[in-house]
Amino acid sequence: MNFDTTNPLLMLIDLQNAIDDPSWGVRNNPEAEDKIQALLKVWREKKRPILHIKHMSTESESKYFP
């Protein structure tokens, strides 16, 4: 199987405010948003493809409920 590595895709999954809900406890990656923002900036400057995947729960009690 051959993969084209000349134009890699940046895939961002479940980067939503729900991760900051106190019910999840203390986060182990408090600098994640800053690092992701810096990576996104570079990716956009290079006009490389970006895929955002948003978790949208159907459970009304879920932190990911729209």
Side-chain angles (χ1 to χ4, degrees):
M1 184 179 297
N2 294 323
F3 293 98
D4 179 5
T5 59
T6 60
N7 196 24
L9 169 80
L10 176 62
M11 186 177 348
L12 303 170
I13 304 171
D14 292 347
L15 299 174
Q16 295 155 254
N17 291 332
I19 62 171
D20 286 330
D21 190 279
S23 66
W24 293 104
V26 177
R27 285 180 51 190
N28 65 351
N29 59 351
E31 68 286 341
E33 288 86 353
D34 291 338
K35 290 181 178 182
I36 293 165
Q37 187 175 27
L39 181 58
L40 263 172
K41 181 178 184 289
V42 171
W43 226 257
R44 287 178 174 145
E45 287 170 355
K46 294 183 179 287
K47 299 189 183 329
R48 294 211 168 138
I50 302 168
L51 176 62
H52 295 268
I53 298 176
K54 183 177 180 181
H55 184 143
M56 295 178 64
S57 178
T58 57
E59 308 270 333
S60 61
E61 304 81 32
S62 171
K63 306 300 181 220
Y64 290 100
F65 187 74

